[in-house]
């Protein structure tokens, strides 16, 4: 998949997966809280799709982390 911000989406997905696992949630549990499918959650975490800010805000709320933490891209 060729996308303009490929690396940023990859890091965003990794951060979402990190905080989800830190909270002991499965993809299904987080997807249910955010009201998206487990498949969509998997695609977000695995950099297989773009994601809207509405979904990002919902994910941050469900994970109880500030949105900025999801965008804290470590090198």
């Amino acid at each position: 998949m060729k996308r303009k911000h490929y690396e940023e989406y990859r890091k965003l997905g990794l951060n979402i997966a990190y905080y989800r696992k830190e909270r002991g949630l499965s993809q299904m549990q987080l997807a249910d809280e955010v009201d998206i499918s487990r498949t969509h959650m998997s695609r977000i975490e695995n950099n297989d799709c773009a994601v809207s800010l509405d979904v990002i805000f919902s994910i941050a709320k469900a994970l109880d982390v500030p949105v900025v933490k999801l965008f804290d891209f470590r090198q």
Side-chain angles (χ1 to χ4, degrees):
M1 173 182 296
K2 201 161 188 171
R3 217 177 21 240
K4 187 175 182 178
H5 299 286
Y6 180 86
E7 193 60 25
E8 289 87 351
Y9 278 106
R10 185 185 72 77
K11 291 175 182 177
L12 175 64
L14 288 171
N15 282 348
I16 291 169
Y18 172 81
Y19 287 111
R20 175 181 59 76
K21 291 172 186 176
E22 186 177 73
R23 304 237 171 350
L25 297 173
S26 68
Q27 283 183 341
M28 188 71 206
Q29 289 169 315
L30 180 56
D32 284 345
E33 286 192 47
V34 177
D35 198 27
I36 61 174
S37 70
R38 192 220 41 91
T39 303
H40 190 187
M41 183 59 65
S42 174
R43 293 183 70 213
I44 292 167
E45 288 186 4
N46 291 301
N47 188 23
D48 194 32
C49 70
V51 59
S52 72
L53 283 175
D54 285 342
V55 173
I56 294 295
F57 294 150
S58 295
I59 289 171
K61 184 175 182 178
L63 293 174
D64 194 31
V65 298
V67 174
V68 70
K69 288 207 168 234
L70 298 180
F71 290 97
D72 183 11
F73 300 152
R74 293 176 173 81
Q75 298 301 338

